[in-house]
Amino acid sequence: MRDTTALLGVGIGVPSIASTKVVAVTTADWAWIDTEHTPLSPTLMADIVQTVNYHSEGRMLPIVRVPNHGHEWIAWALDAGAAGVIIPHTETVEQARAAVRAARFGPLGDRSFPPFVMLSGITDSAPEGQTWVDVANDHIAVIPQIESALGLENLEDIMQVPGVDAIMIGKGDLRLSMGLPLTDSSGSTISLGSKSWTEPAWLAAQARIRALAQKYSMPLVGVSTDANIPGMLRDGYRLLLGTSDFNALGHGITSACVKPMCF
């Protein structure tokens, strides 16, 4: 992930295998499977990961935002075939290190051997000279999510934790933690990719994030819109979340329907 390639993703928040099949055959590069704000059981999460892998024929990368810092959710996601995990509400170096260790097999971490996933000679194949353990340790992405003032304060140290592959910036929660509004003067919620947030404290926070990302060659992950993608790329964002199944369904129906036809 440490290059200038940008991947455009889609969020999966609808707890449905049927809708996930549709998402998987689109042109999105990666899928953000959210178990923090959606009622996904571990079983349904695993089925959605495998649906993305199967129906995209391995082209779309499933990345799971786990609901907490527990090692069990990280194990469930990675054992299911996720390409990486996003760890929400990361605020300290210790939390980042624990997430890395939960996602890496020994000696790099504490991830446990998955006895119900690896079948000798069937699902444990790897390139010549490597084992499936090597492949997993080399290619699983660990992405702490920074979404609080404390997380922002510790961001530089978190970026230096070995095994952290990217940083997701949770702009909505970060603004709330900083005491900044999410709505405009009319009370309407502003898009998380909005350019209209111009408070000095917010601009200073974004400048610090940009500077640290450049200093440590750390890819950033965040919500984007068509209008702000060029700016986000300049700022160091490499995994962009353009839309979600939930938003595409709601806005798509709304924009396609006129009252005489739909109601």
Side-chain angles (χ1 to χ4, degrees):
M1 296 178 63
R2 300 297 179 90
D3 58 33
T4 59
T5 301
L7 303 179
L8 187 62
V10 57
I12 295 180
V14 177
S16 166
I17 297 299
S19 61
T20 298
K21 289 179 182 179
V22 177
V23 172
V25 297
T26 66
T27 57
D29 299 305
W30 66 288
W32 175 39
I33 302 168
D34 187 23
T35 67
E36 183 187 9
H37 291 291
T38 57
L40 296 184
S41 67
T43 301
L44 182 53
M45 176 274 294
D47 287 344
I48 287 177
V49 168
Q50 291 162 8
T51 298
V52 169
N53 281 330
Y54 180 79
H55 285 276
S56 74
E57 298 181 338
R59 186 188 54 78
M60 185 181 294
L61 301 173
I63 297 178
V64 176
R65 180 165 72 174
V66 295
N68 52 49
H69 293 203
H71 70 89
E72 65 278 356
W73 271 97
I74 294 174
W76 290 332
L78 299 183
D79 289 356
V85 286
I86 295 171
I87 314 299
H89 303 288
T90 301
E91 297 184 315
T92 68
V93 166
E94 291 74 20
Q95 290 172 335
R97 286 175 178 161
V100 170
R101 292 197 64 81
R104 300 279 192 269
F105 291 111
L108 301 181
D110 302 321
R111 183 181 172 189
S112 181
F113 171 80
F116 304 108
V117 174
M118 291 302 169
L119 296 172
S120 179
I122 299 176
T123 62
D124 62 349
S125 61
E128 186 175 353
Q130 291 186 300
T131 69
W132 61 268
V133 170
D134 298 326
V135 173
N137 279 346
D138 289 345
H139 293 282
I140 294 298
V142 178
I143 306 172
Q145 182 168 355
I146 303 301
E147 46 192 332
S148 71
L150 179 57
L152 182 61
E153 179 182 336
N154 292 325
L155 179 57
E156 183 164 14
D157 291 335
I158 290 171
M159 282 188 175
Q160 296 179 76
V161 172
V164 167
D165 298 293
I167 295 289
M168 184 168 188
I169 304 299
K171 292 184 177 180
D173 282 337
L174 180 56
R175 284 184 64 83
L176 291 175
S177 178
M178 295 173 64
L180 300 173
L182 289 181
T183 57
D184 59 23
S185 58
S186 69
S188 298
T189 302
I190 303 174
S191 166
L192 294 183
S194 175
K195 293 182 177 180
S196 62
W197 290 336
T198 57
E199 303 92 342
W202 182 252
L203 296 179
Q206 299 311 300
R208 182 166 186 267
I209 291 168
R210 288 194 300 271
L212 290 176
Q214 182 176 11
K215 179 178 179 179
Y216 294 103
S217 299
M218 179 63 66
L220 298 176
V221 185
V223 176
S224 65
T225 64
D226 289 345
N228 71 351
I229 286 178
M232 292 185 73
L233 292 176
R234 289 192 298 271
D235 289 346
Y237 284 83
R238 294 295 175 259
L239 267 70
L240 304 176
L241 189 68
T243 188
S244 69
D245 51 6
F246 175 79
N247 280 293
L249 180 63
H251 289 298
I253 292 174
T254 300
S255 63
C257 285
V258 293
K259 286 189 176 181
M261 295 175 56
C262 294
F263 301 100

